[in-house]
């Protein structure tokens, strides 16, 4: 990679990390995730991440712990060494939004129960029922959206080599 490309990649990583942080992800986890996303193999060791991002091994460890807990990366042993390699999940975004669908189902159930407890004739009950209805709608649309994504991906082939 040329110096100009390295600088451009670094700017991209920091810019995308800032967007992820703005959306609620932990800052260091966002930087590590963006660095993995921008790497050719979608995987790096702790030392590689620390060097690329100019952060401490402890910061890498904390970020990886978070990303592992939310199922965005996996830990694999680097063949022939004692080092761990951190790898982005295949179909990362599909899996992330599919899990989000499960959250929407739970929220809808709790909100429906809450609406009944509050009483359908009360302002709070009506507001809660509308929120449950919104999540039901969102879930239905998400299922259709995921089906269309799968169909599109199959039509276009496997995609670019090395992409999650």
């Amino acid at each position: 990679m040329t110096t100009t490309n390295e600088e451009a990649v670094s700017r991209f990583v920091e810019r995308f990390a800032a967007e992820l942080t703005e959306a609620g992800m932990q800052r260091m986890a966002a930087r590590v995730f963006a660095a993995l996303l921008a790497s050719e193999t979608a995987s790096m060791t702790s030392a590689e991440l620390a060097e690329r991002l100019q952060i401490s091994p402890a910061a890498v460890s904390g970020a990886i712990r978070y990303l592992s807990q939310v199922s965005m990366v996996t830990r694999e042993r680097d063949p022939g060494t004692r080092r761990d390699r951190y790898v982005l999940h295949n179909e990362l975004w599909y899996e992330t939004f599919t899990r989000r669908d499960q959250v929407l189902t739970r929220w809808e159930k709790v909100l429906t129960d809450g609406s009944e407890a509050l009483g359908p004739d009360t302002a709070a009950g009506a507001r809660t029922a509308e929120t449950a209805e919104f999540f039901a709608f969102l879930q239905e649309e998400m299922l259709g959206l995921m089906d269309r994504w799968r169909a599109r991906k199959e039509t276009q082939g496997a995609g670019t080599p090395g992409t999650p």
Side-chain angles (χ1 to χ4, degrees), residues 8-150:
V9 169
S10 182
R11 280 193 305 274
F12 161 74
V13 165
E14 295 304 328
R15 185 173 173 210
F16 189 53
E19 291 294 331
L20 292 171
T21 302
E22 185 69 26
M25 185 182 280
Q26 296 174 356
R27 181 176 181 272
M28 203 55 66
R31 292 184 71 212
V32 167
F33 175 78
L36 287 168
L37 185 66
S39 73
E40 191 63 25
T41 61
S43 72
M44 297 174 87
T45 65
S46 180
E48 291 168 338
L49 285 162
E51 183 180 336
R52 169 78 47 93
L53 298 171
Q54 298 295 295
I55 58 177
S56 71
V60 171
S61 179
I64 291 296
R65 186 173 29 262
Y66 171 83
L67 293 169
S68 295
Q69 287 172 348
V70 296
S71 301
M72 294 179 83
V73 300
T74 56
R75 183 184 317 242
E76 297 178 358
R77 184 65 68 186
D78 218 2
T81 72
R82 294 175 46 170
R83 291 183 306 180
D84 286 328
R85 178 164 288 283
Y86 305 105
V87 183
L88 290 182
H89 280 278
N90 287 332
E91 298 188 347
L92 171 72
W93 297 115
Y94 182 88
E95 291 175 16
T96 299
F97 280 94
T98 299
R99 280 191 307 282
R100 180 70 56 182
D101 182 55
Q102 296 166 357
V103 170
L104 294 175
T105 300
R106 292 194 315 266
W107 288 359
E108 178 191 352
K109 170 75 173 110
V110 170
L111 287 161
T112 299
D113 293 348
S115 175
E116 291 170 12
L118 293 165
D121 297 333
T122 67
R127 186 172 47 252
T128 306
E130 182 178 344
T131 304
E133 187 178 330
F134 172 76
F135 286 126
F137 171 79
L138 200 55
Q139 182 181 11
E140 290 168 15
E141 292 299 310
M142 188 69 73
L143 290 173
L145 186 65
M146 291 298 147
D147 289 343
R148 289 191 303 279
W149 170 249
R150 279 270 188 223

